[in-house]
Amino acid sequence: MSIYDRLYVTYLYYFNDQRDYFECHEVMEELWLEEGRSPLYQGLLQVAVGLYHHANGNVSGSIKLFSAGLDKLAPYPAHTLGIDLERLIRDSGEYLNKLLRIENEPFTPYDLDIHIVDNELSELLAEVKLHPPQHEEEDGHD
């Protein structure tokens, strides 16, 4: 049995492969609630929602979510949950700094990557790519 929850692997799939930050939020929120509201999961959720907000023109919401997410992720080791958390924190911090200067230095939203450092997690992610999760949303609803 894997040490990684299927919802966590699904979150990584939506984050890295599909770039669907709304679904990242949905999946990670479910895991966060199941796992006792871990600050680590909440921080990962908030980074995804920060990207979602910026892509939808909500810069102040994006700044708020990135800031909160970085505060929650900061105490954890560099390699946590099979990912290079230190790199995600650094990349998210750079994104946040750009957001803080956006009025003078506008930029187009761009994706971040969560780098996988554990082989088991990489294999699980490859499995999810072969058998993608099915959305539970109604057809025609955006």
Side-chain angles (χ1 to χ4, degrees), residues 6-37:
R6 74 174 174 78
L7 291 170
Y8 175 63
V9 178
T10 303
Y11 163 86
L12 292 171
Y13 165 76
Y14 283 125
F15 196 102
N16 282 346
D17 194 72
Q18 298 298 298
R19 306 301 187 183
D20 186 337
Y21 303 115
F22 181 81
E23 277 303 314
C24 285
H25 167 266
E26 295 293 300
V27 169
M28 187 55 84
E29 186 172 58
E30 184 179 339
L31 179 59
W32 177 68
L33 291 170
E34 282 179 11
E35 294 296 318
R37 300 176 186 255

PDB file of all heavy atoms in Angstrom, residues 6-37:
ATOM      1  N   ARG A   6      -4.409   8.875  -2.396  1.00  0.00           N
ATOM      2  CA  ARG A   6      -4.799   9.028  -3.812  1.00  0.00           C
ATOM      3  C   ARG A   6      -5.214  10.471  -4.116  1.00  0.00           C
ATOM      4  O   ARG A   6      -4.992  10.968  -5.222  1.00  0.00           O
ATOM      5  CB  ARG A   6      -5.899   8.052  -4.195  1.00  0.00           C
ATOM      6  CG  ARG A   6      -7.236   8.408  -3.654  1.00  0.00           C
ATOM      7  CD  ARG A   6      -8.400   7.562  -4.118  1.00  0.00           C
ATOM      8  NE  ARG A   6      -9.573   7.979  -3.379  1.00  0.00           N
ATOM      9  CZ  ARG A   6     -10.278   9.068  -3.655  1.00  0.00           C
ATOM     10  NH1 ARG A   6      -9.961   9.829  -4.682  1.00  0.00           N
ATOM     11  NH2 ARG A   6     -11.324   9.404  -2.921  1.00  0.00           N
ATOM     12  N   LEU A   7      -5.814  11.162  -3.149  1.00  0.00           N
ATOM     13  CA  LEU A   7      -6.201  12.556  -3.374  1.00  0.00           C
ATOM     14  C   LEU A   7      -4.977  13.449  -3.546  1.00  0.00           C
ATOM     15  O   LEU A   7      -4.991  14.390  -4.348  1.00  0.00           O
ATOM     16  CB  LEU A   7      -7.070  13.068  -2.222  1.00  0.00           C
ATOM     17  CG  LEU A   7      -8.472  12.469  -2.118  1.00  0.00           C
ATOM     18  CD1 LEU A   7      -9.128  12.878  -0.807  1.00  0.00           C
ATOM     19  CD2 LEU A   7      -9.327  12.882  -3.308  1.00  0.00           C
ATOM     20  N   TYR A   8      -3.917  13.157  -2.813  1.00  0.00           N
ATOM     21  CA  TYR A   8      -2.677  13.925  -2.948  1.00  0.00           C
ATOM     22  C   TYR A   8      -2.079  13.715  -4.343  1.00  0.00           C
ATOM     23  O   TYR A   8      -1.680  14.672  -5.008  1.00  0.00           O
ATOM     24  CB  TYR A   8      -1.688  13.508  -1.859  1.00  0.00           C
ATOM     25  CG  TYR A   8      -0.330  14.148  -1.973  1.00  0.00           C
ATOM     26  CD1 TYR A   8      -0.177  15.527  -1.856  1.00  0.00           C
ATOM     27  CD2 TYR A   8       0.798  13.373  -2.207  1.00  0.00           C
ATOM     28  CE1 TYR A   8       1.077  16.118  -1.962  1.00  0.00           C
ATOM     29  CE2 TYR A   8       2.050  13.960  -2.311  1.00  0.00           C
ATOM     30  CZ  TYR A   8       2.183  15.324  -2.192  1.00  0.00           C
ATOM     31  OH  TYR A   8       3.413  15.910  -2.300  1.00  0.00           O
ATOM     32  N   VAL A   9      -2.060  12.472  -4.790  1.00  0.00           N
ATOM     33  CA  VAL A   9      -1.530  12.168  -6.127  1.00  0.00           C
ATOM     34  C   VAL A   9      -2.398  12.845  -7.190  1.00  0.00           C
ATOM     35  O   VAL A   9      -1.880  13.413  -8.161  1.00  0.00           O
ATOM     36  CB  VAL A   9      -1.445  10.637  -6.345  1.00  0.00           C
ATOM     37  CG1 VAL A   9      -0.947  10.321  -7.752  1.00  0.00           C
ATOM     38  CG2 VAL A   9      -0.536   9.992  -5.301  1.00  0.00           C
ATOM     39  N   THR A  10      -3.700  12.842  -6.984  1.00  0.00           N
ATOM     40  CA  THR A  10      -4.614  13.497  -7.922  1.00  0.00           C
ATOM     41  C   THR A  10      -4.373  15.003  -7.944  1.00  0.00           C
ATOM     42  O   THR A  10      -4.380  15.633  -9.009  1.00  0.00           O
ATOM     43  CB  THR A  10      -6.076  13.176  -7.554  1.00  0.00           C
ATOM     44  OG1 THR A  10      -6.239  11.749  -7.546  1.00  0.00           O
ATOM     45  CG2 THR A  10      -7.044  13.787  -8.541  1.00  0.00           C
ATOM     46  N   TYR A  11      -4.133  15.585  -6.774  1.00  0.00           N
ATOM     47  CA  TYR A  11      -3.795  17.015  -6.698  1.00  0.00           C
ATOM     48  C   TYR A  11      -2.566  17.311  -7.555  1.00  0.00           C
ATOM     49  O   TYR A  11      -2.561  18.267  -8.340  1.00  0.00           O
ATOM     50  CB  TYR A  11      -3.539  17.405  -5.233  1.00  0.00           C
ATOM     51  CG  TYR A  11      -2.807  18.718  -5.058  1.00  0.00           C
ATOM     52  CD1 TYR A  11      -3.502  19.926  -5.027  1.00  0.00           C
ATOM     53  CD2 TYR A  11      -1.425  18.753  -4.906  1.00  0.00           C
ATOM     54  CE1 TYR A  11      -2.831  21.132  -4.863  1.00  0.00           C
ATOM     55  CE2 TYR A  11      -0.753  19.948  -4.738  1.00  0.00           C
ATOM     56  CZ  TYR A  11      -1.456  21.131  -4.725  1.00  0.00           C
ATOM     57  OH  TYR A  11      -0.780  22.318  -4.569  1.00  0.00           O
ATOM     58  N   LEU A  12      -1.531  16.501  -7.411  1.00  0.00           N
ATOM     59  CA  LEU A  12      -0.300  16.713  -8.190  1.00  0.00           C
ATOM     60  C   LEU A  12      -0.561  16.568  -9.688  1.00  0.00           C
ATOM     61  O   LEU A  12       0.000  17.313 -10.498  1.00  0.00           O
ATOM     62  CB  LEU A  12       0.790  15.737  -7.736  1.00  0.00           C
ATOM     63  CG  LEU A  12       1.331  15.970  -6.333  1.00  0.00           C
ATOM     64  CD1 LEU A  12       2.237  14.808  -5.918  1.00  0.00           C
ATOM     65  CD2 LEU A  12       2.072  17.300  -6.233  1.00  0.00           C
ATOM     66  N   TYR A  13      -1.418  15.636 -10.054  1.00  0.00           N
ATOM     67  CA  TYR A  13      -1.792  15.455 -11.454  1.00  0.00           C
ATOM     68  C   TYR A  13      -2.455  16.733 -12.001  1.00  0.00           C
ATOM     69  O   TYR A  13      -2.080  17.239 -13.053  1.00  0.00           O
ATOM     70  CB  TYR A  13      -2.729  14.250 -11.578  1.00  0.00           C
ATOM     71  CG  TYR A  13      -3.454  14.161 -12.889  1.00  0.00           C
ATOM     72  CD1 TYR A  13      -2.794  13.723 -14.046  1.00  0.00           C
ATOM     73  CD2 TYR A  13      -4.807  14.489 -12.996  1.00  0.00           C
ATOM     74  CE1 TYR A  13      -3.465  13.633 -15.260  1.00  0.00           C
ATOM     75  CE2 TYR A  13      -5.475  14.400 -14.199  1.00  0.00           C
ATOM     76  CZ  TYR A  13      -4.795  13.966 -15.326  1.00  0.00           C
ATOM     77  OH  TYR A  13      -5.456  13.888 -16.534  1.00  0.00           O
ATOM     78  N   TYR A  14      -3.421  17.255 -11.251  1.00  0.00           N
ATOM     79  CA  TYR A  14      -4.090  18.474 -11.710  1.00  0.00           C
ATOM     80  C   TYR A  14      -3.142  19.672 -11.714  1.00  0.00           C
ATOM     81  O   TYR A  14      -3.234  20.539 -12.572  1.00  0.00           O
ATOM     82  CB  TYR A  14      -5.313  18.785 -10.854  1.00  0.00           C
ATOM     83  CG  TYR A  14      -6.506  17.917 -11.161  1.00  0.00           C
ATOM     84  CD1 TYR A  14      -7.133  17.191 -10.167  1.00  0.00           C
ATOM     85  CD2 TYR A  14      -7.008  17.820 -12.457  1.00  0.00           C
ATOM     86  CE1 TYR A  14      -8.235  16.397 -10.448  1.00  0.00           C
ATOM     87  CE2 TYR A  14      -8.099  17.027 -12.754  1.00  0.00           C
ATOM     88  CZ  TYR A  14      -8.705  16.318 -11.744  1.00  0.00           C
ATOM     89  OH  TYR A  14      -9.789  15.532 -12.037  1.00  0.00           O
ATOM     90  N   PHE A  15      -2.221  19.729 -10.776  1.00  0.00           N
ATOM     91  CA  PHE A  15      -1.289  20.855 -10.679  1.00  0.00           C
ATOM     92  C   PHE A  15      -0.257  20.798 -11.805  1.00  0.00           C
ATOM     93  O   PHE A  15      -0.101  21.766 -12.557  1.00  0.00           O
ATOM     94  CB  PHE A  15      -0.578  20.836  -9.320  1.00  0.00           C
ATOM     95  CG  PHE A  15       0.108  22.126  -8.968  1.00  0.00           C
ATOM     96  CD1 PHE A  15      -0.476  23.011  -8.075  1.00  0.00           C
ATOM     97  CD2 PHE A  15       1.338  22.464  -9.510  1.00  0.00           C
ATOM     98  CE1 PHE A  15       0.148  24.212  -7.736  1.00  0.00           C
ATOM     99  CE2 PHE A  15       1.974  23.652  -9.186  1.00  0.00           C
ATOM    100  CZ  PHE A  15       1.375  24.530  -8.302  1.00  0.00           C
ATOM    101  N   ASN A  16       0.450  19.695 -11.926  1.00  0.00           N
ATOM    102  CA  ASN A  16       1.574  19.602 -12.861  1.00  0.00           C
ATOM    103  C   ASN A  16       1.171  19.242 -14.285  1.00  0.00           C
ATOM    104  O   ASN A  16       1.792  19.705 -15.237  1.00  0.00           O
ATOM    105  CB  ASN A  16       2.586  18.558 -12.385  1.00  0.00           C
ATOM    106  CG  ASN A  16       3.472  19.065 -11.278  1.00  0.00           C
ATOM    107  OD1 ASN A  16       3.542  20.256 -10.995  1.00  0.00           O
ATOM    108  ND2 ASN A  16       4.169  18.137 -10.628  1.00  0.00           N
ATOM    109  N   ASP A  17       0.167  18.402 -14.429  1.00  0.00           N
ATOM    110  CA  ASP A  17      -0.159  17.876 -15.754  1.00  0.00           C
ATOM    111  C   ASP A  17      -1.287  18.662 -16.417  1.00  0.00           C
ATOM    112  O   ASP A  17      -1.171  19.082 -17.558  1.00  0.00           O
ATOM    113  CB  ASP A  17      -0.531  16.392 -15.637  1.00  0.00           C
ATOM    114  CG  ASP A  17      -0.552  15.703 -16.977  1.00  0.00           C
ATOM    115  OD1 ASP A  17       0.531  15.492 -17.539  1.00  0.00           O
ATOM    116  OD2 ASP A  17      -1.662  15.401 -17.469  1.00  0.00           O
ATOM    117  N   GLN A  18      -2.370  18.874 -15.699  1.00  0.00           N
ATOM    118  CA  GLN A  18      -3.550  19.518 -16.279  1.00  0.00           C
ATOM    119  C   GLN A  18      -3.570  21.033 -16.110  1.00  0.00           C
ATOM    120  O   GLN A  18      -4.302  21.716 -16.800  1.00  0.00           O
ATOM    121  CB  GLN A  18      -4.824  18.927 -15.665  1.00  0.00           C
ATOM    122  CG  GLN A  18      -4.989  17.452 -15.944  1.00  0.00           C
ATOM    123  CD  GLN A  18      -5.111  17.169 -17.426  1.00  0.00           C
ATOM    124  OE1 GLN A  18      -6.039  17.637 -18.071  1.00  0.00           O
ATOM    125  NE2 GLN A  18      -4.167  16.428 -17.976  1.00  0.00           N
ATOM    126  N   ARG A  19      -2.808  21.540 -15.134  1.00  0.00           N
ATOM    127  CA  ARG A  19      -2.782  22.978 -14.828  1.00  0.00           C
ATOM    128  C   ARG A  19      -4.189  23.471 -14.487  1.00  0.00           C
ATOM    129  O   ARG A  19      -4.575  24.586 -14.804  1.00  0.00           O
ATOM    130  CB  ARG A  19      -2.198  23.798 -15.983  1.00  0.00           C
ATOM    131  CG  ARG A  19      -0.836  23.329 -16.440  1.00  0.00           C
ATOM    132  CD  ARG A  19       0.172  23.382 -15.341  1.00  0.00           C
ATOM    133  NE  ARG A  19       1.506  23.073 -15.866  1.00  0.00           N
ATOM    134  CZ  ARG A  19       2.576  22.999 -15.115  1.00  0.00           C
ATOM    135  NH1 ARG A  19       2.506  23.201 -13.813  1.00  0.00           N
ATOM    136  NH2 ARG A  19       3.735  22.718 -15.643  1.00  0.00           N
ATOM    137  N   ASP A  20      -4.940  22.601 -13.827  1.00  0.00           N
ATOM    138  CA  ASP A  20      -6.309  22.902 -13.437  1.00  0.00           C
ATOM    139  C   ASP A  20      -6.312  23.213 -11.939  1.00  0.00           C
ATOM    140  O   ASP A  20      -6.499  22.343 -11.099  1.00  0.00           O
ATOM    141  CB  ASP A  20      -7.222  21.711 -13.760  1.00  0.00           C
ATOM    142  CG  ASP A  20      -8.694  22.009 -13.519  1.00  0.00           C
ATOM    143  OD1 ASP A  20      -9.007  22.929 -12.721  1.00  0.00           O
ATOM    144  OD2 ASP A  20      -9.531  21.314 -14.118  1.00  0.00           O
ATOM    145  N   TYR A  21      -6.073  24.477 -11.626  1.00  0.00           N
ATOM    146  CA  TYR A  21      -5.889  24.873 -10.231  1.00  0.00           C
ATOM    147  C   TYR A  21      -7.196  24.876  -9.449  1.00  0.00           C
ATOM    148  O   TYR A  21      -7.182  24.728  -8.230  1.00  0.00           O
ATOM    149  CB  TYR A  21      -5.170  26.215 -10.149  1.00  0.00           C
ATOM    150  CG  TYR A  21      -3.836  26.149 -10.866  1.00  0.00           C
ATOM    151  CD1 TYR A  21      -3.584  26.898 -11.994  1.00  0.00           C
ATOM    152  CD2 TYR A  21      -2.851  25.267 -10.422  1.00  0.00           C
ATOM    153  CE1 TYR A  21      -2.364  26.809 -12.664  1.00  0.00           C
ATOM    154  CE2 TYR A  21      -1.632  25.164 -11.078  1.00  0.00           C
ATOM    155  CZ  TYR A  21      -1.399  25.939 -12.201  1.00  0.00           C
ATOM    156  OH  TYR A  21      -0.201  25.825 -12.861  1.00  0.00           O
ATOM    157  N   PHE A  22      -8.324  24.990 -10.156  1.00  0.00           N
ATOM    158  CA  PHE A  22      -9.602  24.867  -9.471  1.00  0.00           C
ATOM    159  C   PHE A  22      -9.788  23.431  -8.975  1.00  0.00           C
ATOM    160  O   PHE A  22     -10.177  23.211  -7.830  1.00  0.00           O
ATOM    161  CB  PHE A  22     -10.773  25.276 -10.375  1.00  0.00           C
ATOM    162  CG  PHE A  22     -12.094  25.164  -9.670  1.00  0.00           C
ATOM    163  CD1 PHE A  22     -12.520  26.172  -8.815  1.00  0.00           C
ATOM    164  CD2 PHE A  22     -12.903  24.052  -9.841  1.00  0.00           C
ATOM    165  CE1 PHE A  22     -13.729  26.065  -8.133  1.00  0.00           C
ATOM    166  CE2 PHE A  22     -14.110  23.942  -9.167  1.00  0.00           C
ATOM    167  CZ  PHE A  22     -14.520  24.949  -8.314  1.00  0.00           C
ATOM    168  N   GLU A  23      -9.507  22.454  -9.830  1.00  0.00           N
ATOM    169  CA  GLU A  23      -9.617  21.051  -9.407  1.00  0.00           C
ATOM    170  C   GLU A  23      -8.599  20.728  -8.316  1.00  0.00           C
ATOM    171  O   GLU A  23      -8.884  19.937  -7.421  1.00  0.00           O
ATOM    172  CB  GLU A  23      -9.457  20.094 -10.588  1.00  0.00           C
ATOM    173  CG  GLU A  23     -10.716  19.893 -11.383  1.00  0.00           C
ATOM    174  CD  GLU A  23     -11.903  19.393 -10.579  1.00  0.00           C
ATOM    175  OE1 GLU A  23     -11.768  18.445  -9.778  1.00  0.00           O
ATOM    176  OE2 GLU A  23     -12.991  19.972 -10.741  1.00  0.00           O
ATOM    177  N   CYS A  24      -7.419  21.344  -8.383  1.00  0.00           N
ATOM    178  CA  CYS A  24      -6.436  21.167  -7.299  1.00  0.00           C
ATOM    179  C   CYS A  24      -7.076  21.536  -5.968  1.00  0.00           C
ATOM    180  O   CYS A  24      -6.929  20.824  -4.972  1.00  0.00           O
ATOM    181  CB  CYS A  24      -5.222  22.087  -7.500  1.00  0.00           C
ATOM    182  SG  CYS A  24      -4.086  21.583  -8.774  1.00  0.00           S
ATOM    183  N   HIS A  25      -7.760  22.659  -5.977  1.00  0.00           N
ATOM    184  CA  HIS A  25      -8.428  23.139  -4.765  1.00  0.00           C
ATOM    185  C   HIS A  25      -9.466  22.127  -4.288  1.00  0.00           C
ATOM    186  O   HIS A  25      -9.514  21.781  -3.110  1.00  0.00           O
ATOM    187  CB  HIS A  25      -9.082  24.495  -5.046  1.00  0.00           C
ATOM    188  CG  HIS A  25     -10.037  24.919  -3.987  1.00  0.00           C
ATOM    189  ND1 HIS A  25     -11.381  24.667  -4.081  1.00  0.00           N
ATOM    190  CD2 HIS A  25      -9.840  25.547  -2.812  1.00  0.00           C
ATOM    191  CE1 HIS A  25     -11.979  25.130  -2.987  1.00  0.00           C
ATOM    192  NE2 HIS A  25     -11.074  25.678  -2.210  1.00  0.00           N
ATOM    193  N   GLU A  26     -10.303  21.654  -5.204  1.00  0.00           N
ATOM    194  CA  GLU A  26     -11.361  20.717  -4.839  1.00  0.00           C
ATOM    195  C   GLU A  26     -10.789  19.445  -4.209  1.00  0.00           C
ATOM    196  O   GLU A  26     -11.245  19.001  -3.157  1.00  0.00           O
ATOM    197  CB  GLU A  26     -12.199  20.356  -6.077  1.00  0.00           C
ATOM    198  CG  GLU A  26     -12.965  21.515  -6.657  1.00  0.00           C
ATOM    199  CD  GLU A  26     -14.067  22.011  -5.750  1.00  0.00           C
ATOM    200  OE1 GLU A  26     -14.976  21.223  -5.428  1.00  0.00           O
ATOM    201  OE2 GLU A  26     -14.011  23.190  -5.346  1.00  0.00           O
ATOM    202  N   VAL A  27      -9.784  18.879  -4.852  1.00  0.00           N
ATOM    203  CA  VAL A  27      -9.184  17.621  -4.399  1.00  0.00           C
ATOM    204  C   VAL A  27      -8.442  17.818  -3.078  1.00  0.00           C
ATOM    205  O   VAL A  27      -8.588  17.028  -2.140  1.00  0.00           O
ATOM    206  CB  VAL A  27      -8.235  17.072  -5.500  1.00  0.00           C
ATOM    207  CG1 VAL A  27      -7.400  15.935  -4.990  1.00  0.00           C
ATOM    208  CG2 VAL A  27      -9.039  16.651  -6.720  1.00  0.00           C
ATOM    209  N   MET A  28      -7.647  18.863  -2.996  1.00  0.00           N
ATOM    210  CA  MET A  28      -6.844  19.076  -1.788  1.00  0.00           C
ATOM    211  C   MET A  28      -7.715  19.475  -0.608  1.00  0.00           C
ATOM    212  O   MET A  28      -7.418  19.101   0.523  1.00  0.00           O
ATOM    213  CB  MET A  28      -5.758  20.118  -2.040  1.00  0.00           C
ATOM    214  CG  MET A  28      -4.785  20.260  -0.881  1.00  0.00           C
ATOM    215  SD  MET A  28      -3.979  18.706  -0.362  1.00  0.00           S
ATOM    216  CE  MET A  28      -2.638  18.623  -1.526  1.00  0.00           C
ATOM    217  N   GLU A  29      -8.796  20.188  -0.861  1.00  0.00           N
ATOM    218  CA  GLU A  29      -9.688  20.536   0.245  1.00  0.00           C
ATOM    219  C   GLU A  29     -10.297  19.272   0.857  1.00  0.00           C
ATOM    220  O   GLU A  29     -10.400  19.149   2.082  1.00  0.00           O
ATOM    221  CB  GLU A  29     -10.789  21.484  -0.220  1.00  0.00           C
ATOM    222  CG  GLU A  29     -11.656  21.978   0.926  1.00  0.00           C
ATOM    223  CD  GLU A  29     -12.615  23.058   0.491  1.00  0.00           C
ATOM    224  OE1 GLU A  29     -13.420  22.808  -0.433  1.00  0.00           O
ATOM    225  OE2 GLU A  29     -12.550  24.155   1.064  1.00  0.00           O
ATOM    226  N   GLU A  30     -10.667  18.327   0.009  1.00  0.00           N
ATOM    227  CA  GLU A  30     -11.206  17.058   0.506  1.00  0.00           C
ATOM    228  C   GLU A  30     -10.168  16.331   1.369  1.00  0.00           C
ATOM    229  O   GLU A  30     -10.475  15.857   2.465  1.00  0.00           O
ATOM    230  CB  GLU A  30     -11.637  16.179  -0.677  1.00  0.00           C
ATOM    231  CG  GLU A  30     -12.303  14.889  -0.269  1.00  0.00           C
ATOM    232  CD  GLU A  30     -12.735  14.043  -1.462  1.00  0.00           C
ATOM    233  OE1 GLU A  30     -12.888  14.571  -2.585  1.00  0.00           O
ATOM    234  OE2 GLU A  30     -12.915  12.836  -1.246  1.00  0.00           O
ATOM    235  N   LEU A  31      -8.931  16.277   0.890  1.00  0.00           N
ATOM    236  CA  LEU A  31      -7.861  15.627   1.651  1.00  0.00           C
ATOM    237  C   LEU A  31      -7.579  16.386   2.946  1.00  0.00           C
ATOM    238  O   LEU A  31      -7.412  15.786   4.011  1.00  0.00           O
ATOM    239  CB  LEU A  31      -6.593  15.533   0.798  1.00  0.00           C
ATOM    240  CG  LEU A  31      -5.368  14.902   1.462  1.00  0.00           C
ATOM    241  CD1 LEU A  31      -5.666  13.482   1.928  1.00  0.00           C
ATOM    242  CD2 LEU A  31      -4.195  14.914   0.500  1.00  0.00           C
ATOM    243  N   TRP A  32      -7.533  17.700   2.852  1.00  0.00           N
ATOM    244  CA  TRP A  32      -7.261  18.544   4.020  1.00  0.00           C
ATOM    245  C   TRP A  32      -8.293  18.276   5.121  1.00  0.00           C
ATOM    246  O   TRP A  32      -7.942  18.146   6.298  1.00  0.00           O
ATOM    247  CB  TRP A  32      -7.278  20.009   3.576  1.00  0.00           C
ATOM    248  CG  TRP A  32      -7.088  21.015   4.648  1.00  0.00           C
ATOM    249  CD1 TRP A  32      -5.957  21.237   5.380  1.00  0.00           C
ATOM    250  CD2 TRP A  32      -8.047  21.974   5.108  1.00  0.00           C
ATOM    251  NE1 TRP A  32      -6.164  22.277   6.268  1.00  0.00           N
ATOM    252  CE2 TRP A  32      -7.438  22.742   6.117  1.00  0.00           C
ATOM    253  CE3 TRP A  32      -9.358  22.260   4.754  1.00  0.00           C
ATOM    254  CZ2 TRP A  32      -8.101  23.770   6.782  1.00  0.00           C
ATOM    255  CZ3 TRP A  32     -10.012  23.287   5.407  1.00  0.00           C
ATOM    256  CH2 TRP A  32      -9.380  24.029   6.412  1.00  0.00           C
ATOM    257  N   LEU A  33      -9.557  18.180   4.744  1.00  0.00           N
ATOM    258  CA  LEU A  33     -10.610  17.907   5.721  1.00  0.00           C
ATOM    259  C   LEU A  33     -10.486  16.498   6.292  1.00  0.00           C
ATOM    260  O   LEU A  33     -10.645  16.292   7.498  1.00  0.00           O
ATOM    261  CB  LEU A  33     -11.985  18.128   5.091  1.00  0.00           C
ATOM    262  CG  LEU A  33     -12.328  19.579   4.761  1.00  0.00           C
ATOM    263  CD1 LEU A  33     -13.597  19.661   3.921  1.00  0.00           C
ATOM    264  CD2 LEU A  33     -12.445  20.421   6.024  1.00  0.00           C
ATOM    265  N   GLU A  34     -10.181  15.519   5.425  1.00  0.00           N
ATOM    266  CA  GLU A  34     -10.034  14.129   5.873  1.00  0.00           C
ATOM    267  C   GLU A  34      -8.858  13.954   6.825  1.00  0.00           C
ATOM    268  O   GLU A  34      -8.895  13.143   7.735  1.00  0.00           O
ATOM    269  CB  GLU A  34      -9.821  13.196   4.670  1.00  0.00           C
ATOM    270  CG  GLU A  34     -11.060  12.866   3.909  1.00  0.00           C
ATOM    271  CD  GLU A  34     -10.775  11.953   2.727  1.00  0.00           C
ATOM    272  OE1 GLU A  34      -9.646  11.408   2.616  1.00  0.00           O
ATOM    273  OE2 GLU A  34     -11.691  11.774   1.903  1.00  0.00           O
ATOM    274  N   GLU A  35      -7.783  14.689   6.578  1.00  0.00           N
ATOM    275  CA  GLU A  35      -6.540  14.505   7.331  1.00  0.00           C
ATOM    276  C   GLU A  35      -6.411  15.439   8.535  1.00  0.00           C
ATOM    277  O   GLU A  35      -5.308  15.654   9.030  1.00  0.00           O
ATOM    278  CB  GLU A  35      -5.337  14.707   6.396  1.00  0.00           C
ATOM    279  CG  GLU A  35      -5.218  13.668   5.318  1.00  0.00           C
ATOM    280  CD  GLU A  35      -4.961  12.272   5.867  1.00  0.00           C
ATOM    281  OE1 GLU A  35      -4.151  12.138   6.813  1.00  0.00           O
ATOM    282  OE2 GLU A  35      -5.585  11.328   5.360  1.00  0.00           O
ATOM    283  N   GLY A  36      -7.492  16.022   8.971  1.00  0.00           N
ATOM    284  CA  GLY A  36      -7.436  16.836  10.179  1.00  0.00           C
ATOM    285  C   GLY A  36      -6.922  18.248   9.981  1.00  0.00           C
ATOM    286  O   GLY A  36      -6.335  18.832  10.882  1.00  0.00           O
ATOM    287  N   ARG A  37      -7.115  18.782   8.778  1.00  0.00           N
ATOM    288  CA  ARG A  37      -6.777  20.182   8.486  1.00  0.00           C
ATOM    289  C   ARG A  37      -5.290  20.511   8.657  1.00  0.00           C
ATOM    290  O   ARG A  37      -4.915  21.499   9.273  1.00  0.00           O
ATOM    291  CB  ARG A  37      -7.651  21.113   9.319  1.00  0.00           C
ATOM    292  CG  ARG A  37      -9.120  20.916   9.034  1.00  0.00           C
ATOM    293  CD  ARG A  37     -10.000  21.771   9.919  1.00  0.00           C
ATOM    294  NE  ARG A  37     -11.397  21.436   9.711  1.00  0.00           N
ATOM    295  CZ  ARG A  37     -12.262  22.183   9.023  1.00  0.00           C
ATOM    296  NH1 ARG A  37     -11.877  23.292   8.478  1.00  0.00           N
ATOM    297  NH2 ARG A  37     -13.498  21.803   8.889  1.00  0.00           N
TER     298      ARG A  37
END
